[in-house]
Amino acid sequence: MAEKEDLGLSLSLSFPQNHHSLQRNLRPSLVPSSANSCSSPSTLTLNKHSWNDSSPPSDHNSESFRAEMGSIFRGIDMNILPSTADCEEEAGVSSPNSTISSVSGKRSEREGNGDELEIEKSLSKDQSAILEENFKEHNTLNPKQKLALAKQLGLRPRQVEVWFQNRRARTKLKQTEVDCEFLKRCCENLTEENQRLQKEVQELRALKLSSTQFYMQMTPPTTLTMCTSCERVAVPPNPPSSTTVDPRSHHQLAQTHQRAFHINPWAPSAARRPLDALRPRS
DNA sequence: AATGCGCATCCGATTACGTCA
DNA sequence: TCTGACGTAATCGGATGCGCA
């Protein structure tokens, strides 16, 4: 199908501001507002261009419009193809709910009732190309343009209308697929990021545990006793040291002067300097 | 001004049918 | 030749907006 390529990522259509139906139904597509972990898809926005010389769709029911249509198409056979479709297109408009277009029954039954009824079941390449060109410019038609296009292509206005409806549906489907793919990539990237962060947390926890175990193996903080009189450090009875003082014999009268303090290996003092090398580095 | 009706158009879902691998 | 997948024209039903009485 030739139009598949036309549904590609470069699709960018704009819409008239005042067309209620398409404003209602064609919502903005998924486009990230800012850079994130996902690369943005090409800016796929469904917009609509209004026809340059077209009147607003809201006035297509007005008397002036009807009068205009009457003057334009009076005496012109707009339906080159099927003569039987005249009753449908007589007013220049068509509706899926109209009597003709809503007739029930299978197509083969509806269309196989005589040689005079020869409705093309598929559009020619030229017709499709022209429709495609028009769709690229504006993906909706007002009645005037629909009639003109139908006349140009030798199709019933209803056929043109249906073609545009189906074309919009295909465009939307394609857009949905693109959006879905974009979200899928976002999800993949976020999952990847999440796994990476979880791994990092595990590593940090393991590092913290190993540090704790290391210092647990060290001797607990020693409680030393200093004589406030001579400022010599007294140690517990065992083992005896030549450079320390036995608090039981030393200044026995001054025991009340003794005060205890702890050696904190992490304290910012000169006393712990030898431990600095053992301190885990961040 | 509010209301109901008819009309036109839209969309989503579905059907019918042709084409092609 | 048969068959299933696919694309597309067409239909159906519901929703919505607009004009008019």
Side-chain angles (χ1 to χ4, degrees):
Chain A
M1 305 297 173
E3 73 178 28
K4 271 189 173 179
E5 285 72 26
D6 295 328
L7 287 167
L9 298 181
S10 62
L11 195 63
S12 179
L13 305 163
S14 60
F15 296 72
Q17 299 290 325
N18 57 350
H19 199 294
H20 53 81
S21 296
L22 278 138
Q23 281 184 319
R24 183 178 74 234
N25 293 303
L26 286 176
R27 296 176 295 280
S29 61
L30 259 175
V31 175
S33 57
S34 61
N36 53 18
S37 60
C38 305
S39 60
S40 162
S42 54
T43 307
L44 274 157
T45 52
L46 284 175
N47 301 317
K48 269 192 320 182
H49 280 298
S50 57
W51 289 58
N52 295 335
D53 56 347
S54 66
S55 56
S58 58
D59 66 354
H60 63 258
N61 285 327
S62 65
E63 291 299 325
S64 60
F65 174 78
R66 296 175 198 274
E68 182 184 10
M69 288 298 97
S71 64
I72 290 175
F73 296 104
R74 190 176 295 120
I76 298 176
D77 182 10
M78 300 180 305
N79 304 293
I80 297 174
L81 258 185
S83 59
T84 54
D86 286 353
C87 54
E88 176 190 0
E89 320 299 348
E90 188 176 7
V93 293
S94 63
S95 170
N97 297 327
S98 65
T99 305
I100 297 298
S101 60
S102 295
V103 64
S104 301
K106 293 184 177 180
R107 212 169 315 172
S108 57
E109 297 169 355
R110 294 193 303 269
E111 296 172 357
N113 58 351
D115 293 339
E116 72 275 13
L117 185 61
E118 294 187 6
I119 299 175
E120 291 289 337
K121 290 182 178 176
S122 62
L123 305 180
S124 69
K125 288 184 178 181
D126 289 342
Q127 286 170 327
S128 294
I130 293 175
L131 286 167
E132 196 67 39
E133 285 180 12
N134 280 268
F135 184 84
K136 283 178 180 176
E137 294 184 33
H138 359 263
N139 70 348
T140 55
L141 296 172
N142 65 27
K144 181 179 178 180
Q145 290 132 11
K146 179 173 68 179
L147 290 174
L149 192 54
K151 183 173 181 293
Q152 176 187 356
L153 298 174
L155 298 171
R156 287 177 292 148
R158 172 64 179 160
Q159 285 182 292
V160 175
E161 180 180 312
V162 166
W163 187 92
F164 268 72
Q165 287 179 1
N166 287 324
R167 186 64 176 80
R168 283 193 295 269
R170 289 196 295 271
T171 298
K172 185 175 182 180
L173 178 64
K174 194 74 182 177
Q175 179 62 55
T176 301
E177 290 175 357
V178 170
D179 289 346
C180 189
E181 190 63 29
F182 170 67
L183 286 175
K184 188 179 170 184
R185 285 204 308 271
C186 277
C187 186
E188 289 172 355
N189 289 341
L190 288 173
T191 300
E192 198 174 309
E193 176 79 358
N194 187 40
Q195 289 176 348
R196 189 183 65 76
L197 290 173
Q198 294 219 12
K199 186 180 177 183
E200 191 175 328
V201 166
Q202 281 187 348
E203 290 174 354
L204 289 173
R205 282 179 176 159
L207 187 59
K208 180 184 176 184
L209 184 62
S210 65
S211 299
T212 302
Q213 288 174 342
F214 173 79
Y215 288 113
M216 288 288 285
Q217 292 171 355
M218 296 177 61
T219 54
T222 305
T223 300
L224 301 176
T225 305
M226 176 182 285
C227 174
T228 55
S229 299
C230 63
E231 290 191 346
R232 291 176 66 182
V233 174
V235 296
N238 292 319
S241 172
S242 59
T243 60
T244 58
V245 179
D246 185 352
R248 288 169 302 184
S249 59
H250 178 71
H251 295 173
Q252 295 205 348
L253 294 176
Q255 279 189 349
T256 56
H257 299 156
Q258 294 171 358
R259 57 188 167 92
F261 64 94
H262 299 284
I263 296 176
N264 183 359
W266 307 126
S269 66
R272 64 156 187 85
R273 288 283 161 79
L275 297 174
D276 281 354
L278 301 175
R279 193 173 178 182
R281 297 173 182 172
S282 57

